[in-house]
Amino acid sequence: GAVVSQHPSRVICKSGTSVKIECRSLDFQATTMFWYRQFPKQSLMLMATSNEGSKATYEQGVEKDKFLINHASLTLSTLTVTSAHPEDSSFYICSARDPWGTPKYYFGSGTRLTVV
Amino acid sequence: QKEVEQNSGPLSVPEGAIASLNCTYSDRGSQSFFWYRQYSGKSPELIMSIYSNGDKEDGRFTAQLNKASQYVSLLIRDSQPSDSATYLCAVPSGAGSYQLTFGKGTKLSVIP
């Protein structure tokens, strides 16, 4: 089946530094990708929708200057958490929409970010 | 505001039984429906998609869709302890946004 690869799976960084998370669709072209974050025992929260070749659409309350999203190709989207703070510690998950045939949505394995 | 409703559970079933998970949605125009399984600390995994009224079977899983009643369900036959997870129902928001609207998930526990 289709696979979405997300890296790194786990990262620890110091406050004030930036972290980049990559999301790749391995066997389909994803014109649309999504970034979520999830706190323990809570639901997925959509952060932004990433469209190839255009600016991301951010959900209300998500700081676009803090969470930089780049969707430079049909198979790669990146999320950069800039000037990270401990409250940014969370589980970040990407999802890619496979539009061919009947559309499906696949998730990456997630990135657990810890800011110390 | 499009809505997807699920019973949060927990739903407990004995090993070998059938687990029945239910989901209702508000947008009558929805065309595709997805079930995801999420283990604690892991990302969601697509287990079933359904687009037409009726049943769709894949191994021990059966998805059932009734568009007239705006209802989609997931049956898990011969439930195993490894099926213990949170099951998420998701429906695309449509109108070009392609975002998925998720239910809050049903936590399933399969008791050995």
Side-chain angles (χ1 to χ4, degrees), chain B residues 2 25 29 66 78 109:
Chain B
K2 297 183 173 66
Y25 59 94
N66 184 326
D78 187 24
S109 292

Side-chain angles (χ1 to χ4, degrees), chain B residues 4 6 11 13 22 27 29 37-38 43 53 56 90-91 102 110:
Chain B
V4 177
Q6 291 180 259
L11 173 65
V13 299
N22 303 317
D27 183 6
R37 175 176 64 197
Q38 186 175 25
S43 67
N53 275 332
K56 178 182 177 183
V91 181
F102 287 92
V110 180

Side-chain angles (χ1 to χ4, degrees), chain B residues 13-16 19 37-40 42 45 47 60-61 76-87 108-112:
Chain B
V13 299
E15 184 174 355
R37 175 176 64 197
Q38 186 175 25
Y39 293 113
S40 180
K42 302 294 185 182
E45 174 192 6
I47 53 173
R60 294 186 296 112
F61 298 100
I76 306 174
R77 288 183 300 282
D78 187 24
S79 295
Q80 301 297 309
S82 58
D83 295 325
S84 298
T86 296
Y87 288 80
L108 172 67
S109 292
V110 180
I111 312 301

